[in-house]
Amino acid sequence: MASDETTYDVVVIGGGPAGLSAALWAARYRRQVLLVDAGEHRNASVDSTHGYLGADGDAPAELIRRAIDDLARYPEVTIRTGASVVRAVASDDSFELAIDDGTAVRALRLVLCTGVRDLVPKIDGFDCHYGASVFTCPSCDGYEAQGRRVAVIGDSDHMAPFAVGLLDWASSVALVIEDESRVDAKQRERLCANGIEVVVGTPTALVGERHALEAIRLGDGRMLDVDLVFLTVEHEQRSVIARDLGCDISDEGSVQVDQDCLTTVNHVYAAGDITPGPHLVQVAAAKGATAGIAAALSLRGHRGASASSRPAPDPDAALA
């Protein structure tokens, strides 16, 4: 077992909006908090984040930098960047964590904010344009599509309504599908009636410089002139820690949590994109706050880490 000096009340794994928020709120209850962040953020290539009060249009990296500066003002918080928790094992009423630099720490409470990894298509130029002219979230980036030519790429069953929804903003929408059977005759008729062109072909390349997308090249050599591309992508958990600890995972791959962001494993909380719900920065930060507060409150009536201020007694027990 790790020594008492390496014991933390709350260890937060993942330093995106959910993890930073969880660490901040747990610290405000004067709990000793360790934040471990590998720096592998889902929105690393995105130019701007939208709809976050006080930070609309800011680069995600700038949002993270300011949040880390805020955290650094709390002496209760230790931040380890560029590090990953590679193993978590339940031990009595705590968790033994192995970090990839060879060190080990002990956590009384865990908050998992490890995020997801997008499984993006293999299209030449995709990485260049992702987050500048290629997006996956109309709620996040649809406003910037107003008055522009948009192409929707994908072959899932919900691509037709996805394309129609972009008419909230776009001047024109083209739906590009590889499998013609994905859109039946009636759907095609209705799409055309709403001004949406259905293009059958395989996207092979995105043409143009970053911030200046010009066209999609199809497998047969055709060029589809566009300004922006929207698509839906599958994603996978970045970490297997939740699964290794025995947390329930839904068929869709989300970690199941209750209203306090507590997983099905006692003392293990989860927040952010690994949990069900919209994948929005605001939602992730709110869930992180919920998890951080709940983790801190669960320590009332317990001594906690030796370096921590003594927590309040459990109110129910104290007033019984």
Side-chain angles (χ1 to χ4, degrees):
M1 180 176 290
S3 65
D4 201 34
E5 287 73 29
T6 61
T7 298
Y8 294 89
D9 294 309
V10 180
V11 173
V12 180
I13 306 176
L20 291 164
S21 181
L24 173 66
W25 282 96
R28 289 189 58 79
Y29 280 84
R30 299 197 300 168
R31 299 301 94 223
Q32 289 295 308
V33 179
L34 172 65
L35 174 69
V36 182
D37 180 37
E40 298 174 344
H41 298 157
R42 184 184 190 186
N43 59 6
S45 64
V46 174
D47 285 346
S48 304
T49 185
H50 298 292
Y52 201 150
L53 291 175
D56 184 51
D58 286 359
E62 174 62 16
L63 193 66
I64 296 295
R65 185 196 64 76
R66 290 205 307 268
I68 290 175
D69 287 347
D70 288 343
L71 270 183
R73 295 199 293 268
Y74 288 81
E76 295 85 358
V77 179
T78 301
I79 302 173
R80 306 247 324 244
T81 57
S84 298
V85 174
V86 295
R87 188 174 68 255
V89 179
S91 175
D92 298 326
D93 289 328
S94 62
F95 304 90
E96 302 295 335
L97 308 179
I99 300 176
D100 60 359
D101 61 5
T103 60
V105 298
R106 178 170 166 256
L108 302 183
R109 302 291 185 268
L110 272 182
V111 182
L112 306 179
C113 304
T114 45
V116 298
R117 180 186 297 107
D118 290 326
L119 304 177
V120 300
K122 297 185 186 324
I123 300 174
D124 288 347
F126 187 90
D127 291 345
C128 169
H129 294 282
Y130 196 34
S133 300
V134 177
F135 307 102
T136 61
C137 175
S139 295
C140 307
D141 300 293
Y143 188 84
E144 283 64 41
Q146 57 186 306
R148 307 182 78 180
R149 300 168 300 173
V150 170
V152 173
I153 295 175
D155 269 330
S156 67
D157 292 336
H158 69 278
M159 296 313 298
F162 185 83
V164 171
L166 281 159
L167 290 173
D168 269 337
W169 307 281
S171 63
S172 67
V173 176
L175 173 58
V176 182
I177 55 175
E178 295 185 45
D179 183 355
E180 190 170 8
S181 67
R182 287 291 188 180
V183 178
D184 61 32
K186 182 176 180 180
Q187 272 191 324
R188 186 184 292 258
E189 180 183 343
R190 297 310 304 154
L191 287 167
C192 291
N194 284 280
I196 297 175
E197 179 186 7
V198 178
V199 179
V200 179
T202 301
T204 58
L206 300 178
V207 180
E209 301 297 321
R210 187 171 176 87
H211 301 292
L213 179 63
E214 298 172 7
I216 300 171
R217 180 183 294 118
L218 302 177
D220 58 8
R222 284 178 295 161
M223 302 283 280
L224 178 65
D225 294 337
V226 297
D227 300 310
L228 301 176
V229 171
F230 281 81
L231 71 161
T232 60
V233 295
E234 299 295 323
H235 55 262
E236 63 184 8
Q237 299 269 342
R238 281 191 179 274
S239 171
V240 297
I241 288 176
R243 193 177 301 276
D244 288 349
L245 287 170
C247 301
D248 278 358
I249 310 289
S250 72
D251 292 340
E252 293 73 30
S254 297
V255 179
Q256 300 295 90
V257 294
D258 66 10
Q259 70 274 9
D260 294 321
C261 289
L262 178 66
T263 72
T264 53
V265 175
N266 200 26
H267 304 327
V268 178
Y269 299 81
D273 291 351
I274 67 171
T275 61
H279 290 187
L280 299 173
V281 171
Q282 306 88 320
V283 175
K287 288 182 177 180
T290 298
I293 292 170
L297 290 178
S298 73
L299 288 161
R300 282 183 171 173
H302 302 275
R303 176 62 191 93
S306 61
S308 287
S309 302
R310 184 173 293 277
D314 176 54
D316 292 336
L319 299 175

